Amino acid sequence: VPKMWQEASVNGTIQKLAGMMDTPLTGLDTRIKEKEITEGLMDEKFKMFMETVDERFHRFVNQINQYLTENGCKCDIKLQKSGYVVSYVLNSSKRTLATFVSRKTGMKLRIYPEHIQEYQSFLDTLPEKLKKEIKKASVCKRLVNPDDCNPKCVMGFTFMLDGEQYQKCRYMAFQPTLSEENNSYIRQFLEKELETIE
């Protein structure tokens, strides 16, 4: 049994949710109840995820969660070997905008900026350490030579940074670590991407 469900059983979440299902329902009522149960489970999962986040960044993670869910994203939480993976999927296109991932170096927010070329000058304003991470990220083999990589792999991003062109893997290019220095830039990054969609 996954640890997440064991914890949910101990703190009474499963029992509470099971109690919500006692009353026989039909039609619209059933759909509303299912939505409430799903939201209840997501709330509990998010609380468990927050227990793994450095206390210094609780406020920031909550702000990002609120900002993205209020701006057309659905929060999807999965438990993997490395920890919780919390993704924000755009309701309009069903594509993932950003994902919180746990790494030994700390919590990161992987950003998928599909419209990066529309605001790539923003990258020049990033802190030097963050620029260095982007420059060091893996090259997208499919962009360089489409035959070099799995054809099912989604292509990465082509962008300019400090006057040079880069072609980086979509899973490695933009995943800043949460930090006092990076957090305001992470927020701006998400805002700029969402502005291009509106």
Side-chain angles (χ1 to χ4, degrees):
V1 177
K3 187 168 181 279
M4 179 177 72
W5 294 112
Q6 290 172 7
E7 289 170 1
S9 177
V10 170
N11 70 22
T13 303
I14 289 173
Q15 292 83 343
K16 278 187 271 179
L17 293 170
M20 290 166 73
M21 294 186 280
D22 286 345
T23 317
L25 299 164
T26 55
L28 182 62
D29 285 344
T30 306
R31 285 194 296 278
I32 292 168
K33 215 57 163 170
E34 282 171 359
K35 188 170 184 276
E36 285 173 7
I37 291 165
T38 303
E39 285 172 359
L41 274 173
M42 289 309 287
D43 286 346
E44 282 303 316
K45 280 186 183 179
F46 192 77
K47 281 180 195 166
M48 285 187 256
F49 157 66
M50 285 302 290
E51 286 172 17
T52 69
V53 176
D54 187 319
E55 278 187 25
R56 292 174 300 159
F57 307 128
H58 273 206
R59 189 161 170 258
F60 176 71
V61 171
N62 273 316
Q63 284 173 349
I64 292 297
N65 178 65
Q66 186 177 350
Y67 172 67
L68 293 178
T69 52
E70 285 176 359
N71 283 277
C73 289
K74 177 187 163 210
C75 179
D76 181 49
I77 305 171
K78 291 185 174 80
L79 184 56
Q80 295 186 347
K81 283 182 184 176
S82 59
Y84 286 95
V85 174
V86 181
S87 299
Y88 294 90
V89 182
L90 287 157
N91 294 321
S92 55
S93 63
K94 305 299 179 206
R95 72 172 181 85
T96 303
L97 171 64
T99 302
F100 282 111
V101 289
S102 301
R103 293 290 178 264
K104 286 177 184 173
T105 52
M107 182 72 65
K108 293 177 175 283
L109 185 67
R110 183 182 291 145
I111 303 168
Y112 303 96
E114 301 294 338
H115 305 89
I116 187 66
Q117 292 188 343
E118 293 179 38
Y119 57 90
Q120 59 189 345
S121 59
F122 163 71
L123 299 176
D124 293 339
T125 70
L126 297 175
E128 287 306 316
K129 191 178 174 188
L130 194 44
K131 286 186 191 180
K132 197 174 173 183
E133 286 176 17
I134 294 168
K135 290 173 183 178
K136 275 173 56 182
S138 306
V139 168
C140 173
K141 291 178 183 175
R142 279 199 75 199
L143 282 171
V144 177
N145 180 357
D147 298 329
D148 268 2
C149 196
N150 184 335
K152 290 182 181 175
C153 184
V154 184
M155 279 194 188
F157 306 109
T158 300
F159 56 90
M160 298 293 291
L161 172 59
D162 289 342
E164 279 187 60
Q165 187 186 67
Y166 292 90
Q167 294 182 307
K168 297 292 185 179
C169 169
R170 67 187 287 105
Y171 303 104
M172 303 302 289
F174 305 106
Q175 47 177 353
T177 304
L178 303 193
S179 71
E180 307 294 345
E181 186 180 28
N182 290 346
N183 289 356
S184 65
Y185 292 97
I186 291 172
R187 170 79 186 224
Q188 287 177 62
F189 209 147
L190 295 170
E191 287 171 352
K192 287 185 179 299
E193 182 63 21
L194 281 172
E195 279 167 17
T196 66
I197 297 164
E198 287 167 9

